[in-house]
Amino acid sequence: MTIAGHLAAIDLLRSRPFPAQSVRSEVGTSAPGYHTAELSTSEEFRDGGSQPEVVGEQYEAEREALATVLSARWGRPQVFGLGSVLIRSVEEEHIPEPWGMLSASVPDVHLWHVDGRWVVLGVPKWDTESPYRLLAVVTDVDPP
């Protein structure tokens, strides 16, 4: 998907009401209080194909390019590390979704607060065999 496609997916998520229960959508999942979209996904790394470090750098660059375009709309993002949120969840503190799900795989996110909702971009990194993904989340749940 191109940057224009990513923007269209984010705008679609921003325009939708949140559902009463978890459902799949054409771009990801939606649940009470949030929508997620997998904007792009790499291949898996189990077969010794692509070098994960190179692919990871490409996904980070894709996130930065999209963040630059979104910054032109909404200003500079907050960069929010999720490591401490992950630790809190491991220590059995209740972390509201989508933040619990994000902290389990994404070390840091870019955030904008727009029209009462958070727009979040992240690249999961904790699992070295799973594909890289560029995630977008729209939520009305404040970061923990």
Side-chain angles (χ1 to χ4, degrees), residues 5-144:
H6 296 340
L7 293 172
I10 291 168
D11 289 340
L12 177 67
L13 296 181
R14 289 185 59 235
S15 70
R16 288 184 172 167
F18 298 117
Q21 61 188 22
S22 295
V23 295
R24 290 280 309 153
S25 72
E26 68 277 17
V27 294
T29 58
S30 294
Y34 68 94
H35 302 292
T36 65
E38 291 187 8
L39 300 177
S40 59
T41 304
S42 75
E43 64 185 51
E44 291 188 10
F45 299 106
R46 294 182 183 156
D47 301 330
S50 299
Q51 297 178 3
E53 301 81 21
V54 172
V55 175
E57 290 172 7
Q58 292 169 341
Y59 274 74
E60 286 293 330
E62 187 174 3
R63 175 176 71 174
E64 293 305 318
L66 182 54
T68 298
V69 175
L70 292 174
S71 294
R73 286 182 173 185
W74 303 320
R76 293 183 59 147
Q78 296 177 32
V79 177
F80 184 67
L82 294 173
S84 64
V85 176
L86 177 60
I87 291 168
R88 289 165 45 199
S89 71
V90 169
E91 293 173 347
E92 299 187 14
E93 180 180 336
H94 171 72
I95 304 297
E97 296 301 344
W99 302 104
M101 174 261 312
L102 284 169
S103 71
S105 62
V106 180
D108 60 76
V109 293
H110 289 48
L111 300 168
W112 293 265
H113 197 244
V114 182
D115 299 328
R117 291 184 171 186
W118 293 95
V119 177
V120 184
L121 295 180
V123 177
K125 296 182 185 178
W126 300 131
D127 185 352
T128 58
E129 291 184 352
S130 294
Y132 277 94
R133 296 172 291 147
L134 176 59
L135 299 179
V137 176
V138 173
T139 182
D140 62 0
V141 180
D142 290 336

